[in-house]
Amino acid sequence: MSRIVYVNGQYLPEGEARVSIFDRGFLMADAVYEVTSVLGGKLIDFAGHCTRLRRSLGELDMASPCSDDELLAIHRELVARNAVVDGMIYLQVTRGNPGDRDFAFPDASVTPTLVLFTQSKPGLAESPAAKVGIKVISIEDIRWGRRDIKTVQLLYPSMGKMMAKKAGADDAWLVEDGFVTEGTSNNAYIVTGGRIITRNLGNEILHGITRAAVLRFAREAQMEIEERPFTIDEAKAADEAFITSASAFVMPVVEIDGTKLGAGVPGPVAKRLRELYIDEMRKAAI
Ligand code: PMP
């Protein structure tokens, strides 16, 4: 089924949407993005994604294509036009099309490119993987040093997912200087003695919108949280582990580099946080 997508002010069938070959998103990965989940036709944590988009644009000195209210209207229009019940909306802003290839940023007369499209995933919150948990491998984190900016430079995360697939696993955790930074497209957590341990915020990881919400719900439920780096050895010895992202919500991890965590089934903390997160975010969806 052909989708209706959004490109620079126009709603078009996906086959008719066009971006220039000179667009800096295409030539230089000079672009940032956001992925917002849709549950029951409503947007999950839209405000959180807008705030992070503004921050990514600001850190790269990239112009904003439009206001948050306009972005909300476009998201809603795409949900309606594509009759999305459960799924995701992908948004990308690039530094635009200067009409030629040049490393220097173009002047302010070049306007940003704004593209959005929907991905329908019926039953997104009832993922079968959440019931059995996922397996991860560890790989070296060789990404650039500004992972806090949500850029479209996703080649190494893609390679990491392929390495995981080849090893018979579902995803990879990235390790730098002996410590886990995050997953290829998610934040990483372990649970030991009831304490939730996840890497502290910094330039080394993306500041997950789901991470912020999950830690808030965990604190409200009187769970103990330690924000600090942890090693793969510590993770293998943990009682349980999980990841968070806007599209996976809270996903239990049951195996790391071939070592089963505990009984090798999703742990109670991950299960509880997943339920809490999905329930609360459904209530707050707009
Ligand atoms: N880290 C990385 C590297 C990611 O790509 C993502 C998802 N885009 C996340 C963490 C999770 O962020 P969020 O919860 O905002 O989806």
Side-chain angles (χ1 to χ4, degrees):
M1 197 192 78
S2 172
R3 282 169 286 198
I4 298 296
V5 303
Y6 177 95
V7 185
N8 293 331
Q10 285 187 296
Y11 293 92
L12 296 167
E14 61 186 40
E16 292 172 26
R18 297 277 180 274
V19 174
S20 166
I21 62 158
F22 298 117
D23 194 282
R24 287 183 61 94
F26 177 63
L27 293 179
M28 308 266 174
D30 190 356
V32 298
Y33 75 109
E34 284 296 330
V35 177
T36 303
S37 273
V38 178
L39 287 180
K42 290 185 170 177
L43 305 168
I44 302 295
D45 213 342
F46 180 75
H49 290 284
C50 270
T51 304
R52 184 172 61 191
L53 175 65
R54 299 275 158 224
R55 181 175 181 278
S56 294
L57 292 171
E59 291 297 303
L60 295 175
D61 213 5
M62 205 183 282
S64 166
C66 60
S67 70
D68 287 1
D69 284 348
E70 286 166 316
L71 284 181
L72 176 58
I74 299 166
H75 277 74
R76 285 181 162 159
E77 186 68 23
L78 282 179
V79 168
R81 289 197 189 213
N82 293 287
V84 180
V85 179
D86 297 335
M88 285 95 78
I89 300 186
Y90 177 87
L91 169 158
Q92 181 170 326
V93 183
T94 85
R95 205 181 299 273
N97 164 26
D100 200 356
R101 181 175 182 271
D102 187 356
F103 280 80
F105 290 0
D107 64 40
S109 66
V110 174
T111 53
T113 298
L114 175 62
V115 169
L116 288 93
F117 57 82
T118 55
Q119 293 183 290
S120 186
K121 304 270 177 199
L124 180 65
E126 287 84 42
S127 145
K131 295 191 175 66
V132 290
I134 62 163
K135 298 174 183 172
V136 302
I137 58 165
S138 62
I139 61 172
E140 200 191 337
D141 194 342
I142 59 165
R143 298 172 302 164
W144 80 324
R146 289 304 305 275
R147 302 157 194 160
D148 57 309
I149 309 173
K150 197 166 169 63
T151 73
V152 300
Q153 301 174 74
L154 297 175
L155 183 53
Y156 189 63
S158 290
M159 289 168 72
K161 287 199 193 270
M162 293 313 290
M163 289 183 234
K165 200 172 167 189
K166 210 169 161 194
D170 303 291
D171 207 347
W173 278 10
L174 307 170
V175 178
E176 184 174 55
D177 300 330
F179 293 96
V180 174
T181 51
E182 59 187 335
T184 57
S185 63
N186 41 67
N187 290 113
Y189 309 71
I190 57 172
V191 182
T192 303
R195 290 172 84 81
I196 300 163
I197 301 158
T198 192
R199 184 148 186 144
N200 46 297
L201 295 180
N203 293 350
E204 303 76 26
I205 64 169
L206 186 73
H207 302 188
I209 300 306
T210 320
R211 178 188 183 281
V214 164
L215 292 184
R216 188 172 76 242
F217 297 140
R219 273 193 196 98
E220 283 167 12
Q222 316 295 329
M223 296 179 177
E224 278 185 74
I225 298 159
E226 263 181 64
E227 291 183 66
R228 62 160 175 86
F230 59 86
T231 65
I232 283 290
D233 281 346
E234 189 180 5
K236 284 182 185 170
D239 301 324
E240 54 176 296
F242 60 93
I243 56 166
T244 64
S245 77
S247 52
F249 310 120
V250 177
M251 180 65 68
V253 170
V254 293
E255 202 178 295
I256 302 174
D257 285 338
T259 300
K260 279 191 171 46
L261 301 190
V265 294
V269 173
K271 274 198 205 161
R272 184 167 174 219
L273 285 175
R274 182 179 173 87
E275 279 174 20
L276 256 177
Y277 177 80
I278 293 173
D279 286 354
E280 292 299 321
M281 295 319 267
R282 268 191 200 280
K283 278 188 230 162
I286 60 168

